[in-house]
Each structure stands twice: as structure tokens, then as C-alpha cells.
Amino acid sequence: MDTAGHWEATPRRGLELTPFRGLRYDPDRVGSLASVTSPPYDVVVRPDGLHHLQSADPYNIVRLILPQAGTPSARTEQAADTLRRWLDEGILAADPEPGLYVYEQRHGDGMLQRGIIGTLRVTEPAEGVVLPHEDVMPPVVADRAALMRATRANLEPLLLTYRGDGTAAEVVERTVDRPPLLATTTEDGYRHRLWSVTDPEELTRIQTDLAGRQALIADGHHRWATYRRLRLEHPSPSPWDYGLVLLVDTARYPLRVRAIHRLLHGLPVADALAAVDGLFRVRHLDKPLAQALETLADAACAGNAFLLAGDGVFHLLDRPDPDLLARTVPADRPAAWRALDATVLHATLLDHVWHIPEDSPAHIAYIHDTAATVEKAERDGGTAVLLHPVREEVVRELARQGVTMPRKSTSFGPKPASGLVLRALEI
């Protein structure tokens, strides 16, 4: 692949992005567009964040992406019933003609991200078109698949990146000079704007440019795995051949990469520290979170490092015993993979030292917000494990090699707000 994001040998089929009739909230029927949006389903911190979003507006999208009921089947049925009711009542309505959607996120801290929302042909990793970089948890894929089957909808776009700087980017830049379909500012300070591209010539320019591109999954591995599962369940051609995505050209709009932290239920900090005694260097940091994270960043430059919290102070783990790593980290992977903090966390600390199953919600939670992870650990008596983010170029290079990182290793952002545009498969 060259620096422009093309394959050196152009593939038979690349990214195939198609227009669709987006479902959008009628702004006259809801409190505000901001009040019906939500972060992606896996970023909502439950139960606090869920309750906050549910109370923000009776039509908040969280009632579709995270329905609350006593059993899994009741949850999916509830989401399907809610979506049908909102469509019947005109809360959600389909745009009159198919289009691709230009989406912009802007923040006062200087962040500006623009991309294109459309339905993308679902491919397998072996095709080399959409590259995953993380493993997925089968129970989460099963949960998302049940929700999509019941609603027959893609309720939120996943985030893909590519390196382009071509004609698709030029169409995006021209489009944002027009009045948007919607504009709203969410409580996190991000301003969101959305435009529809329906002109056939503009659509062709976008599609032709993307046809030779390769994308990296930045956020939404479980949803992409769900798209793949559902495509296999339905004979082609069918609407399930495509899934809702946001494509961001990082040659123009680089993403921010943050870590995803772990909250270990039922493991007090004292017990976690006792188990690593003699295996890692441990330093106790009596300083605020921001300064503790700076210390973590400095330590991560020299090797594997983690920050434990939950007892009112921070504890820096670094300089792991080389013999311990040799015994616990699989040797049949690239050196860059073996050196990842997430690899050492899962292979060495979770599996070998603390004996915590990584796919059990009863034992571990994955939380994007750093402060929230610490607060929940202190409140619940568990251990927060804070990580330093991996560099994007490391992620991309491993993905090109076909090597997946440990699940929930990275958090690319900003993530698209859920609730601005949805896709119903039958519309």
C-alpha cells in the first residue's frame, strides 16, 4: 500500500459505499436534537450514564441501542417495538431520497473531524478491504446481532478510517459550504453538523475515489463482526450485504487515539498489588489524576506500564520481570504485538497473575472515560487499571500484517454521535 492509501496492486473490489435514505429525528417532535443523541452503545457508562440519557428526552436513542428489560429477548423486542412506534408517530422519518451524508464534529479545543456516512459493502478480513485491529467478544456480537435482527436496522454508524486526500475529500470540503440539514451541540461541547449529498455526479466522484481504498476499523469491531454474521445469514443479494459506517480520511482529519481502561470487579487494590509483588516495580503516587497520567506516560516510553487505582491513591506498575513476560506472552506474534501494554495486561496480569477472565462482565468492565473508571473503582471497591494509549501507526501496521490486538486496546475519536442518522433496512 502506498502513502496515499492505495494498494500497490489494486484489488478487484475496494470500498463500496452506497447512498441510503437516512432515518432522522423530526426536530419539531423532540426536545432538542442534542437531547436525543448518545455516545455509541459501548461508551455509555452504565447505569449512571444510561439513566442520565434516558431522562434527557423520552425519545433518546439510548432506548434503541441499549434497551432495558429483564431478559435478552425482551430487550430486543422492546427496541423493535420502540422503533416501530417512533416511525408510526413520525418521531423518526426517512429522508425523501437516498444520499451519502457528510458529517462534521468540531470542538473548542481545536478538534475538527469530517467524514462520509453511507452503507458499505460488508467484506471478510481476508479480502483486505476493511482491516480489523482488535479481537471481539462473541457474547457482544451475539447481543448486537439479536438487536439488529429484531429492529432490522443499523442504529449507529461504526467509525472507519482511510488515507485518501482525493476527490472524496474535495466533495466533503465543497459540501460543508452549504447550509446543513442539522446542527446541534451536545453536552460534551462538540458541535455536530450533517449534510446530504444526493447529486449523481458528486456521488460518483466519492464512490470512484473510494473504490481503490482500504479502511481500518477505528471503532466498532463488534458491530462490523455483527454485519459479517448477518450477511452470512441472509442469501445475497440482500440489504444485509451492507452496513452503516462513517468513513474519515485521516490524511485530512487525523483522529485522536486514547486508551480503554479496565475495571476489575471484586479485586481490591491491596490484593492486586500483593499479587504483583516482586513481578513488577510498584511506585505509589500521591498526586492528582492528571499528574499520575503524566507519570504513566513517561514510564510507558521506557516499557510496559500500568496505573492502578481504587483506594484513593495511584500505584504505578512498570519494569515487569523479563522472565515473567517470557513465560506468559505468546512468542508466535510480531515483536510489536508482544510489546503492547494491552498484550501484557491480558496475557500476563489478567490471565497469569490475577486469574481474571477477560470476557466475563461479572469480573471486568471496559470503560473509556478515565475519571469514571477511577470513581467506579473507589465506589465499588474494585481495581481500576489505567493504560497509556498506543500510537495509531502501530495499530495500522499490525492491521496490515493481519495481526489483531487484544480486545478493547484502543479508543479512536471523536466517535460519531448516535442518533443523528439511522438506517432501516426496508426503507
Side-chain angles (χ1 to χ4, degrees), residues 267-277 284 308-311 315 354 381-383:
L267 178 67
V269 174
D271 292 351
L273 292 172
V276 300
D277 184 40
H284 307 291
L308 303 192
D311 61 351
H315 311 271
W354 293 327
T383 295

Side-chain angles (χ1 to χ4, degrees), residues 96-403:
E97 58 182 320
L100 297 175
Y101 295 84
V102 170
Y103 175 47
E104 176 188 275
Q105 292 165 278
R106 186 188 293 268
H107 196 276
D109 64 3
M111 167 57 75
L112 173 62
Q113 178 173 289
R114 290 173 178 151
I116 304 170
I117 296 176
T119 58
L120 186 69
R121 182 177 70 90
V122 178
T123 58
E124 294 299 313
E127 296 179 59
V129 178
V130 175
L131 301 178
H133 69 267
E134 289 184 0
D135 293 329
V136 297
M137 292 175 272
V140 178
V141 175
D143 175 75
R144 291 295 101 182
L147 182 63
M148 289 188 203
R149 287 191 205 97
T151 58
R152 296 191 64 79
N154 300 151
L155 301 172
E156 46 186 347
L158 54 88
L159 176 61
L160 304 181
T161 71
Y162 72 101
R163 303 284 294 176
D165 207 15
T167 54
E170 294 169 2
V171 173
V172 169
E173 299 304 318
R174 284 195 297 272
T175 301
V176 298
D177 289 333
R178 306 198 317 252
L181 290 175
L182 64 85
T184 189
T185 301
T186 45
E187 62 180 17
D188 58 5
Y190 275 93
R191 177 172 172 80
H192 308 263
R193 296 198 295 170
L194 191 76
W195 296 260
S196 179
V197 179
T198 57
D199 178 81
E201 292 185 3
E202 297 279 67
L203 292 173
T204 298
R205 290 189 183 99
I206 292 173
Q207 292 171 316
T208 301
D209 185 21
L210 295 177
R213 307 289 182 186
Q214 181 185 54
L216 174 74
I217 300 176
D219 185 69
H221 283 81
H222 290 91
R223 281 166 285 168
W224 185 254
T226 301
Y227 291 169
R228 289 169 47 211
R229 172 183 289 195
L230 294 172
R231 180 179 67 87
L232 293 174
E233 291 178 2
H234 297 83
S236 185
S238 83
W240 300 98
D241 291 342
Y242 294 82
L244 188 64
V245 305
L246 165 65
L247 272 168
V248 173
D249 181 355
T250 53
R252 296 236 178 158
Y253 301 103
L255 298 181
R256 292 174 175 171
V257 187
R258 293 187 170 93
I260 301 176
H261 309 297
R262 276 64 169 160
L263 174 61
L264 309 181
H265 306 299
L267 178 67
V269 174
D271 292 351
L273 292 172
V276 300
D277 184 40
L279 302 177
F280 284 73
R281 182 176 70 168
V282 179
R283 285 181 284 166
H284 307 291
L285 309 177
D286 190 7
K287 56 179 64 176
L289 174 60
Q291 294 181 22
L293 291 174
E294 291 176 0
T295 304
L296 173 64
D298 291 340
C301 292
N304 300 118
F306 310 93
L307 204 60
L308 303 192
D311 61 351
V313 295
F314 297 100
H315 311 271
L316 180 69
L317 274 58
D318 66 353
R319 299 186 184 179
D321 176 13
D323 291 337
L324 172 68
L325 298 184
R327 293 196 311 272
T328 57
V329 176
D332 59 347
R333 300 289 187 94
W337 182 90
R338 297 198 304 272
L340 291 170
D341 288 336
T343 296
V344 173
L345 172 60
H346 283 260
T348 303
L349 285 170
L350 292 180
D351 292 352
H352 181 80
V353 177
W354 293 327
H355 306 292
I356 293 176
E358 61 181 316
D359 57 355
S360 169
H363 294 87
I364 186 169
Y366 298 83
I367 304 179
H368 295 71
D369 186 276
T370 308
T373 310
V374 175
E375 291 166 4
K376 288 180 72 64
E378 292 179 345
R379 185 170 65 241
D380 301 341
T383 295
V385 183
L386 308 182
L387 290 85
H388 184 67
V390 65
R391 291 177 293 115
E392 181 180 359
E393 52 265 35
V394 173
V395 176
R396 195 174 291 275
E397 182 54 37
L398 285 171
R400 286 172 180 157
Q401 296 178 39
V403 178

Side-chain angles (χ1 to χ4, degrees), residues 72-91:
S73 61
R75 286 194 292 271
T76 57
E77 290 171 10
Q78 182 184 95
D81 291 342
T82 300
L83 178 57
R84 280 192 294 269
R85 186 173 71 253
W86 289 0
L87 289 169
D88 292 342
E89 295 175 359
I91 305 301

